[in-house]
């Protein structure tokens, strides 16, 4: 994905699709950092849909990391 293109989409309504079929739909309010590849977005007027296209959450504002997730691990707590 060309993450720099996201800067051109500020103020546009955008859909982010996930491998589970879930979607996050929102208007890009800002991109961070100020230059270079986008590491984080702030979306406004957000809807989160499940794989069956049901709205499961709505947010006025939601930070989102638009990059590909490559893994996750326990940082604290019981294993």
């Amino acid at each position: 994905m060309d993450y720099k293109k996201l800067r051109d989409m500020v103020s546009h309504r955008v859909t982010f699709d996930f491998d589970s079929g879930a979607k996050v739909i929102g208007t890009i309010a800002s991109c961070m950092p100020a230059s270079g590849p986008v590491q984080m977005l702030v979306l406004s007027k957000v809807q989160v849909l499940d794989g069956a296209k049901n709205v499961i959450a709505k947010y006025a504002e939601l930070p989102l990391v638009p990059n590909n997730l490559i893994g996750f691990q326990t940082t604290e707590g019981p294993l």
Side-chain angles (χ1 to χ4, degrees):
M1 175 184 268
D2 183 0
Y3 297 109
K4 290 183 275 183
K5 272 186 155 180
L6 292 169
R7 289 187 195 289
D8 297 333
M9 296 180 188
V10 170
S11 298
H12 289 77
R13 193 126 176 102
V14 177
T15 299
F16 295 89
D17 297 303
F18 295 89
D19 61 354
S20 64
K23 298 178 184 294
V24 174
I25 303 168
T27 301
I28 298 178
S30 63
C31 298
M32 291 164 255
S35 62
V38 174
Q39 300 293 311
M40 191 171 108
L41 301 169
V42 176
L43 301 176
S44 61
K45 300 178 185 172
V46 179
Q47 292 182 323
V48 180
L49 285 68
D50 64 14
K53 298 186 178 22
N54 299 305
V55 176
I56 57 173
K58 291 182 179 183
Y59 301 98
E61 191 173 88
L62 179 74
L64 177 74
V65 175
N67 311 107
N68 291 327
L69 178 67
I70 60 168
F72 59 90
Q73 61 187 337
T74 302
T75 304
E76 287 186 23
L79 297 175

